[in-house]
Amino acid sequence: LQRTQPKVAYHFKSLGTGVIEQTIDWIRFAFARHLQVDQLLLLWDRVIAFDSLLVLPILAAAIISFRSSSLLATETKAQVAEVLGETARLNV
């Protein structure tokens, strides 16, 4: 993320947070608590098809990239969490 979205990475650091801190639940629970069931099954299908859990951090990075403009407008860690917490309508 530091190479592809350096402004976002720096902004996180200036707010006293990090990408790992903000996305650890996504990866730890394989998005199970964050996606609609149909989207979760599509994600897990991809994990199985690629035979790799690398799909999970790639999706996390894609979400951050997609929401970079909203993330750069945040002023607190709580606002960052709020922007990243809106995952119910994500399409995998």
Side-chain angles (χ1 to χ4, degrees), residues 3-85:
R3 283 184 267 161
T4 60
Q5 294 291 329
K7 290 180 183 178
V8 175
Y10 178 78
H11 185 65
F12 276 22
K13 189 174 182 176
S14 72
L15 294 176
T17 191
V19 175
I20 299 292
E21 180 182 340
Q22 294 295 328
T23 61
I24 192 69
D25 277 350
W26 290 348
I27 295 167
R28 182 173 48 181
F29 297 109
F31 287 87
R33 297 181 176 179
H34 304 281
L35 294 176
Q36 297 290 328
V37 173
D38 62 329
Q39 296 303 307
L40 184 62
L41 293 175
L42 287 172
L43 173 62
W44 290 354
D45 281 348
R46 286 167 174 83
V47 168
I48 292 167
F50 286 104
D51 193 25
S52 173
L53 294 174
L54 190 57
V55 174
L56 302 176
I58 290 171
L59 178 58
I63 293 168
I64 290 171
S65 292
F66 181 73
R67 296 189 174 163
S68 62
S69 59
S70 296
L71 289 167
L72 289 171
T74 59
E75 297 177 356
T76 65
K77 287 173 30 172
Q79 289 175 337
V80 170
E82 185 177 328
V83 169
L84 293 177

